């Protein structure tokens, strides 16, 4: 067997779950002398391309960071633009998503969102519940620390009500109270725009995720970038604290 054949035989499987921090919309717009909202709109198109690429590449789960619990600090007009885009795309895309076998879900604190958005989200979840081609999870009004606090409150209530003993709490029990209950941890987290931080994304779930940071601004992201990120992931040696298998 040639060295190349041996290498391809030992190539690790592609990631089952890819999470993406879709960053750089504002800089993309600024470079073109456009308002930031135009960057967010172009970002929504990049997301459509990415969904198609994930299905073609056989990814099982895609989680995308769309709006963080800290993004409320932005000017009100930008927050309104982002919420408007979300309403528009969720309504417009739902039948396409359903038709392509996409199952749509959401992470984040729903209590902070407008009632009509909550309704659109619930409708999207119901409509796509049978999707088997790709699980897409949109993180909206999401912060990793906020998610952990909400899970800890649930655990505390269960303990106070005598349904759970504090000693019984382990990783599995806490993970089951997170917004991501039932979703495997991300194997790969990609962040666009060149920033190299998590910005409060999947704080618990990223414990052993591989990170790939790419300089491309999110509105320019496409299938080739996803393939390159997956390729880099497949070069990594995931040891989980153990010794490398050589
Ligand atoms: C990501 O792009 C989209 C959201 C955070 C909603 P940004 O809006 O953060 O773009 P930059 O980082 O300012 O370029
Ligand atoms: C993270 O990007 C949130 C999303 C992509 C939705 P930000 O642009 O908000 O992150 P910081 O402020 O640069 O850390
Ligand atoms: Mg940003």
């Amino acid at each position: 067997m040639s060295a190349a054949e041996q290498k391809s035989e030992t190539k690790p499987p592609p990631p089952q779950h890819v999470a993406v921090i879709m960053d750089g919309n504002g800089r993309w717009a600024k470079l073109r002398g456009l308002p930031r909202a135009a960057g967010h709109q172009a970002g929504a198109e990049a997301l459509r391309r990415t969904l198609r690429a994930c299905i073609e590449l056989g990814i099982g789960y895609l989680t995308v960071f769309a709006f963080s619990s800290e993004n409320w600090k932005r000017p009100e007009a930008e927050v309104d633009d982002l919420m408007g885009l979300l309403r528009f795309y969720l309504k417009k895309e739902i039948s396409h998503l359903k038709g392509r076998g996409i199952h749509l879900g959401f992470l984040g604190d729903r209590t902070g969102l407008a009632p009509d958005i909550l309704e659109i989200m619930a409708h999207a979840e119901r409509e796509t519940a049978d999707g088997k081609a790709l699980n897409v999870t949109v993180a909206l009004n999401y912060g990793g620390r906020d998610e952990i606090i909400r899970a800890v409150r649930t655990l505390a209530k269960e303990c106070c009500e005598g349904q759970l003993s504090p000693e019984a709490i382990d990783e599995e029990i806490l993970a089951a109270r997170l917004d991501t209950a039932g979703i495997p941890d991300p194997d790969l987290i990609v962040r666009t725009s060149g920033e190299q931080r998590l910005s409060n994304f999947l704080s618990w779930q990223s414990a052993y995720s591989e990170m790939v940071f790419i300089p491309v601004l999110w509105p320019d992201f496409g299938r080739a970038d996803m393939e390159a990120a997956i390729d880099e992931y497949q070069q990594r040696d995931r040891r989980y604290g153990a010794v490398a298998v050589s």
Side-chain angles (χ1 to χ4, degrees):
M1 191 190 289
S2 73
E5 276 170 340
Q6 221 167 2
K7 189 151 195 282
S8 81
E9 275 219 344
T10 55
K11 198 173 171 180
Q16 183 196 16
H17 181 178
V18 179
V20 183
I21 303 175
M22 311 184 287
D23 197 16
N25 295 352
R27 277 162 282 174
W28 184 93
K30 197 173 177 196
L31 278 170
R32 287 160 179 77
L34 296 170
R36 290 179 64 85
H40 296 314
Q41 196 163 347
E45 293 302 322
L47 180 55
R48 294 176 74 185
R49 286 198 294 279
T50 304
L51 298 188
R52 200 176 320 126
C54 285
I55 293 177
E56 288 166 9
L57 295 168
I59 307 290
Y61 295 83
L62 174 75
T63 299
V64 292
F65 205 2
F67 191 89
S68 78
S69 46
E70 287 70 38
N71 286 148
W72 298 106
K73 293 178 195 163
R74 295 190 178 199
E76 205 179 317
E78 181 170 350
V79 172
D80 286 350
D81 286 339
L82 282 164
M83 294 297 160
L85 264 179
L86 191 82
R87 282 184 182 93
F88 176 76
Y89 273 96
L90 271 180
K91 276 193 208 159
K92 185 165 96 78
E93 290 295 316
I94 202 69
S95 60
H96 296 130
L97 298 179
K98 189 177 175 179
R100 280 148 65 195
I102 289 174
H103 173 234
L104 197 61
F106 298 90
L107 311 177
D109 184 2
R110 301 203 183 194
T111 60
L113 295 169
D116 71 310
I117 292 191
L118 291 176
E119 243 172 69
I120 299 171
M121 285 161 64
H123 175 72
E125 285 173 322
R126 273 196 312 273
E127 281 293 299
T128 63
D130 297 330
K132 298 272 184 289
L134 173 66
N135 287 286
V136 176
T137 307
V138 180
L140 198 61
N141 192 20
Y142 174 84
R145 289 185 174 185
D146 176 69
E147 178 192 36
I148 293 169
I149 287 174
R150 287 185 285 108
V152 168
R153 280 194 199 126
T154 305
L155 289 175
K157 266 190 211 134
E158 290 173 36
C159 288
C160 289
E161 286 163 9
Q163 300 159 21
L164 185 67
S165 106
E167 289 70 32
I169 297 172
D170 59 13
E171 288 189 13
E172 204 182 317
I173 286 185
L174 192 141
R177 272 84 179 160
L178 294 172
D179 298 345
T180 50
I183 301 174
D185 287 344
D187 301 295
L188 166 64
I189 298 181
V190 178
R191 182 168 189 154
T192 57
S193 89
E195 307 298 348
Q196 301 192 5
R197 55 177 172 265
L198 281 175
S199 300
N200 207 7
F201 190 42
L202 301 176
S203 309
W204 171 274
Q205 300 84 346
S206 60
Y208 273 102
S209 303
E210 296 297 328
M211 317 271 182
V212 172
F213 299 106
I214 64 168
V216 172
L217 300 173
W218 174 251
D220 292 326
F221 188 87
R223 179 179 164 146
D225 300 301
M226 183 59 97
E227 283 183 284
I230 291 173
D231 210 52
E232 184 167 340
Y233 165 85
Q234 288 179 306
Q235 318 282 328
R236 305 272 177 93
D237 183 12
R238 301 185 79 186
R239 289 192 287 277
Y240 300 98
V243 175
V245 191
S246 55

